[in-house]
Amino acid sequence: MVVPLQLFGSNPLGELALLVIVPTLVVAFGAYVGVLMALQTFFGASSWAEVQSETDDE
């Protein structure tokens, strides 16, 4: 039985995807989650629009 990851690893472009694109997506998703957590922790907001509207009111 062939595992799908083995098919990607046998193809040079698939290997490139596994080595470059997948870790990049993981880091980007982690940064996104980190920014959302920082917004909630420091500002009590869930988006930049909420933070900006609060600072514009002051």
Side-chain angles (χ1 to χ4, degrees), residues 3-28:
V3 178
L5 288 177
Q6 288 176 337
L7 292 175
F8 283 119
S10 65
N11 183 354
L13 290 177
E15 185 176 350
L16 177 67
L18 287 176
L19 293 176
V20 176
I21 296 171
V22 171
T24 302
L25 291 175
V26 169
V27 169

Side-chain angles (χ1 to χ4, degrees), residues 3 6 9 17 22-23 25-26 28-29 32 34 46 50 53 56:
V3 178
Q6 288 176 337
V22 171
L25 291 175
V26 169
F29 180 73
Y32 175 74
S46 60
E50 289 181 24
S53 67
D56 290 342

